[in-house]
């Protein structure tokens, strides 16, 4: 895959897929070709959740030791400070950090995120989870999450240089086999 930075297009590589599809592994595979990358682990620390800790540990074991690790829920702050190459895993943490916000405040934060991403000069890998392909949540918070992540990821896809879908351990470059839906 060509990771050369071009002047007239963003440097965002977006990798999306369902649970256990291989999206993080694929993003890490691509990012290993980049020097001095920072890995943004975008989630709350929940030391009481053993399954979550096991997942975090498996991610840690896969990452090269020379990657800078940033564990945070404040992606906007990190993006305003970090100008080098980034791997953000995963954008759903940004949605969860704002899940209790009213729609207007959410839209403002989402627009700020998109603007910060578009201004970045360095390559930025973003991992995002596909949801909503099956059951509809019986809870309002679940449906809010599904709607917001769907909207955000559509926006990220539009500004990304490359868009990948991972499914069942395979990666498909969706830009080559798809067209944007007119809106």
């Amino acid at each position: 895959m060509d990771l050369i930075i071009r002047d007239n297009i963003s440097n965002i590589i977006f990798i999306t897929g369902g649970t256990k599809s291989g999206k993080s592994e694929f993003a890490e595979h691509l990012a290993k070709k980049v020097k001095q990358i920072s890995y943004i682990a975008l989630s709350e620390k929940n030391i009481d959740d053993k399954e979550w800790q096991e997942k975090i540990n498996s991610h840690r074991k896969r990452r090269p030791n020379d990657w800078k690790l940033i564990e945070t829920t404040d992606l906007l702050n990190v993006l305003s400070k970090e100008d080098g190459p980034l791997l953000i895993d995963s954008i759903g943490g940004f949605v969860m950090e704002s899940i209790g916000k009213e729609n207007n405040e959410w839209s403002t934060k989402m627009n700020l995120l998109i603007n910060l991403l578009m201004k970045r000069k360095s390559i930025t890998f973003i991992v995002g989870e596909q949801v909503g392909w099956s059951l509809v949540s019986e809870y309002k918070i679940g449906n809010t999450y599904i709607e917001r992540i769907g909207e955000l990821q559509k926006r990220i896809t539009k500004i990304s240089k490359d868009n990948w879908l991972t499914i069942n351990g395979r990666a498909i470059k969706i830009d080559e086999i798809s067209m944007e839906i007119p809106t």
Side-chain angles (χ1 to χ4, degrees):
M1 186 186 101
D2 178 19
L3 292 179
I4 296 171
I5 296 174
R6 294 177 275 175
D7 292 338
N8 62 344
I9 196 162
S10 82
N11 296 310
I12 298 169
I13 311 295
F14 184 48
I15 301 101
T16 187
T19 302
K20 300 302 235 179
S21 65
K23 60 192 175 291
S24 293
E25 292 93 337
F26 187 64
E28 292 160 6
H29 165 76
L30 296 176
K32 285 179 184 174
K33 299 173 185 174
V34 178
K35 302 275 187 241
Q36 298 180 327
I37 195 161
S38 295
Y39 181 98
I40 301 174
L42 197 58
S43 70
E44 296 259 337
K45 290 184 182 179
N46 188 350
I47 58 172
D48 295 331
D49 186 339
K50 286 187 175 200
E51 288 178 10
W52 185 245
Q53 289 306 310
E54 287 174 18
K55 186 173 184 171
I56 288 171
N57 288 335
S58 72
H59 280 240
R60 282 184 181 141
K61 288 176 187 173
R62 288 195 312 254
R63 288 193 300 266
N65 291 333
D66 62 333
W67 285 9
K68 176 182 173 185
L69 174 62
I70 302 169
E71 294 178 312
T72 186
T73 58
D74 191 354
L75 181 58
L76 298 177
N77 185 43
V78 172
L79 288 175
S80 66
K81 293 179 180 177
E82 294 286 326
D83 58 1
L86 297 176
L87 190 161
I88 301 166
D89 193 0
S90 73
I91 204 64
F94 177 78
V95 175
M96 282 307 299
E97 190 269 329
S98 299
I99 200 72
K101 308 278 187 220
E102 293 297 323
N103 285 333
N104 287 339
E105 191 174 353
W106 160 250
S107 291
T108 299
K109 285 189 81 168
M110 179 175 56
N111 289 334
L112 182 55
L113 173 65
I114 295 298
N115 288 333
L116 286 169
L117 289 170
M118 287 177 18
K119 289 178 185 176
R120 290 189 48 75
K121 303 283 186 233
S122 296
I123 193 158
T124 305
F125 299 91
I126 302 173
V127 175
E129 42 279 276
Q130 283 297 317
V131 295
W133 283 14
S134 60
L135 298 174
V136 174
S137 177
E138 64 183 279
Y139 303 101
K140 182 178 182 196
I141 192 170
N143 289 316
T144 298
Y145 179 81
I146 290 167
E147 292 289 323
R148 288 181 178 179
I149 198 161
E151 178 184 19
L152 175 59
Q153 292 187 147
K154 191 185 301 183
R155 301 260 321 262
I156 291 171
T157 297
K158 286 183 178 191
I159 64 169
S160 294
K161 176 175 95 170
D162 293 324
N163 290 283
W164 293 86
L165 173 65
T166 58
I167 186 167
N168 302 333
R170 309 282 297 180
I172 304 163
K173 191 169 186 180
I174 59 177
D175 301 307
E176 295 175 352
I177 60 169
S178 66
M179 65 175 270
E180 186 175 336
I181 298 170
T183 54

